[in-house]
Amino acid sequence: MTTNHDLFARAQKLLPGGVNSPVRAFRSVGGEPFFTERADGPYLWDVEGKRYTDYVGSWGPMIVGHNHPAVREAVERAIRNGLSFGTPCAAEVTMAETIVSLIPSVDMVRMVNSGTEATMSAIRLARGATGRSKIVKFEGCYHGHGDSFLVKAGSGALTFGVPTSPGVPKASADLTLTLPYNDIDAAKLLFAQEGKELAGLIIEPVAGNMNCIPPKDGYLQALRELCTEHGVLLIFDEVMTGFRVALGGAQAYYGITPDLTCFGKIIGGGMPVGAYGGRQDLMEQIAPSGPIYQAGTLSGNPVAMAAGLAMLQLIQAPGFYDDLTARTVRLTDGILAEAKKAGVPFSVNRVGAMFGLFFTDETVESYTQATTGDVAAFNRFFHGMLERGVYLAPSAFEAGFVSSAHDDAVIAATIATAGEVFASLQA
Ligand code: PLP
């Protein structure tokens, strides 16, 4: 039988760290990753046949669970017609119509192949449209691995202690100004000093790459006002929150209208897809209708569009988000109650179907709180859960995701497992 260990040994000789994306290597939590053979509903099965209840969901896309028949069948139908055309296809138009109808701030959209491409392109558009060079991002927010964003970044960059990566030219990093998340006074000060030079401010409207940290009341609105006052484009990176915290994303949830929005994950239904969109006067500046260049050989790929469209159909079912939120509340309340029972200092954050678990009594609202939390306790908890067949994101700095396939029985089993693990941590 092929084992996880054998595969990882082979992988490490050929792939940097044995993986194609850093957090998958388990370096933060220690130990070795498992290799997934198949996935269905709320579960993953590794190559050794062990089953895991999955709260990572391919890092977000799997909001209806893995291998949903409607998505799979849409892909099967699409591939019969060919894998890529390099010409326009009807599914791209339907996709654009769907996104525009679901997200009121988006008049026009451009499909790309990943969240990273979406954010890089949105920043280029912001710079091209404003004629300004500097951008603002937030400590601990992750916007993919473009040079402009690997400055005090979250996710894997934070996990491995290299929030600002070697290889990012100083000249590029100097154009990225960073602010503490959830601190409006710091933003006001920066805008007073630099406002005239800022092209755009990019933010995860619910931070999900330094664990899960919701915006404080009024924070996003205050940023909206600052951007408007200084002629700075407000860019919501909804690669994670889009179609997850609500059907209309975080912008619908909090009632804010950004100038540009980046998407990824869920809109691809599990295929490699991203998109950026926004106001018509801005989007029309993209080539070929305007001079700001951005392109892609496989962008708007017919198979990816088919998967994404099937997914976007499923999540428009009446009550889908109320139900998903209720499941997330049940899960996080249940885990919190088990922690309290065992006397473990613990708190949770959640917005829609996104959640964060913290080994502290405090409510976590900032990057500083998130990064000074008890990482060792999280790691012990992670391994206790994994051993018992529950897969949480393998880092204290990642959000968790619930899908519509996580039914009451699955959630109750996870809560019971958490209870066992908390008790074992205290033993
Ligand atoms: N933006 C956010 C908020 C993300 O969470 C991610 C990935 O996790 C990205 C951008 C980058 O997306 P991708 O990994 O598809 O390039």
Side-chain angles (χ1 to χ4, degrees):
M1 181 180 76
T2 315
T3 65
N4 292 310
H5 179 73
D6 289 347
L7 277 170
F8 197 46
R10 279 165 58 199
Q12 281 175 296
K13 292 189 189 131
L14 301 165
L15 302 165
V19 291
N20 283 310
S21 195
V23 185
R24 295 182 199 170
F26 276 32
R27 294 254 173 122
S28 164
V29 289
E32 294 188 350
F34 62 90
F35 284 67
T36 301
E37 189 167 85
R38 69 187 179 90
D40 204 72
Y43 302 119
L44 300 173
W45 284 264
D46 71 14
V47 290
E48 298 174 14
K50 178 169 173 175
R51 190 185 81 174
Y52 305 85
T53 304
D54 177 24
Y55 290 97
V56 183
S58 192
W59 299 95
M62 296 305 168
I63 196 163
V64 294
H66 290 282
N67 199 14
H68 192 287
V71 179
R72 190 182 61 238
E73 283 158 20
V75 168
E76 284 167 357
R77 276 194 302 278
I79 60 177
R80 285 193 211 119
N81 291 329
L83 298 183
S84 175
F85 307 140
T87 70
C89 68
E92 294 169 279
V93 185
T94 313
M95 175 59 90
E97 286 166 349
T98 309
I99 294 173
V100 167
S101 74
L102 294 175
I103 314 287
S105 73
V106 173
D107 301 326
M108 296 182 90
V109 67
R110 169 61 61 84
M111 301 308 298
V112 293
N113 302 294
S114 66
T116 296
E117 269 189 63
T119 54
M120 283 166 55
S121 309
I123 285 295
R124 183 176 307 135
L125 172 52
R127 287 177 163 146
T130 59
R132 300 171 177 181
S133 299
K134 292 186 181 168
I135 62 159
V136 181
K137 75 174 282 292
F138 292 82
E139 286 170 7
C141 281
Y142 179 69
H143 304 291
H145 61 87
D147 279 355
S148 303
F149 306 118
L150 285 184
V151 179
K152 296 195 179 170
S155 189
L158 191 56
T159 302
F160 300 121
V162 285
T164 303
S165 171
V168 173
K170 184 175 179 307
S172 171
D174 285 348
L175 296 175
T176 301
L177 311 181
T178 56
L179 279 172
Y181 187 84
N182 265 342
D183 179 346
I184 196 59
D185 291 336
K188 284 183 179 158
L189 195 64
L190 181 79
F191 272 65
Q193 290 164 350
E194 304 267 356
K196 284 194 176 56
E197 298 191 36
L198 302 178
L201 174 146
I202 187 163
I203 185 165
E204 291 180 66
V206 177
N209 284 290
M210 46 176 156
N211 208 320
C212 173
I213 305 188
K216 285 186 188 164
D217 279 353
Y219 181 61
L220 296 174
Q221 183 58 35
L223 291 177
R224 172 66 279 181
E225 284 159 18
L226 269 183
C227 285
T228 305
E229 187 186 330
H230 293 270
V232 178
L233 297 181
L234 176 63
I235 307 169
F236 270 13
D237 177 350
E238 296 231 40
V239 168
M240 188 182 284
T241 55
F243 313 108
R244 168 145 305 267
V245 300
L247 182 58
Q251 53 196 270
Y253 192 95
Y254 294 105
I256 310 291
T257 306
D259 299 298
L260 293 172
T261 303
C262 303
F263 299 101
K265 302 189 190 273
I266 288 172
I267 49 164
M271 299 291 285
V273 175
Y276 64 103
R279 287 195 344 243
Q280 181 162 356
D281 63 299
L282 294 171
M283 292 306 292
E284 279 189 332
Q285 298 185 44
I286 297 291
S289 54
I292 300 170
Y293 196 71
Q294 187 274 310
T297 298
L298 295 174
S299 295
N301 173 273
V303 184
M305 295 302 97
L309 283 170
M311 180 71 97
L312 293 180
Q313 276 297 319
L314 291 168
I315 63 177
Q316 290 182 64
F320 181 85
Y321 285 90
D322 290 343
D323 183 49
L324 209 53
T325 301
R327 288 165 200 247
T328 312
V329 168
R330 260 200 301 281
L331 175 76
T332 49
D333 278 0
I335 295 178
L336 183 63
E338 292 298 331
K340 297 264 176 280
K341 222 191 285 173
V344 176
F346 201 75
S347 71
V348 299
N349 282 339
R350 61 185 170 228
V351 182
M354 199 173 149
F355 68 87
L357 308 176
F358 301 91
F359 282 80
T360 170
D361 279 329
E362 294 172 16
T363 302
V364 177
E365 296 182 327
S366 71
Y367 171 79
T368 310
Q369 281 175 296
T371 49
T372 51
D374 191 344
V375 173
F378 171 82
N379 290 353
R380 286 196 300 276
F381 181 68
F382 168 85
H383 278 294
M385 296 296 277
L386 190 71
E387 259 170 43
R388 293 165 178 82
V390 177
Y391 178 50
L392 299 167
S395 160
F397 305 121
E398 302 285 352
F401 303 114
V402 173
S403 84
S404 55
H406 291 81
D407 63 18
D408 283 355
V410 169
I411 288 173
T414 300
I415 294 168
T417 305
E420 268 179 44
V421 176
F422 285 129
S424 76
L425 294 184
Q426 298 301 77

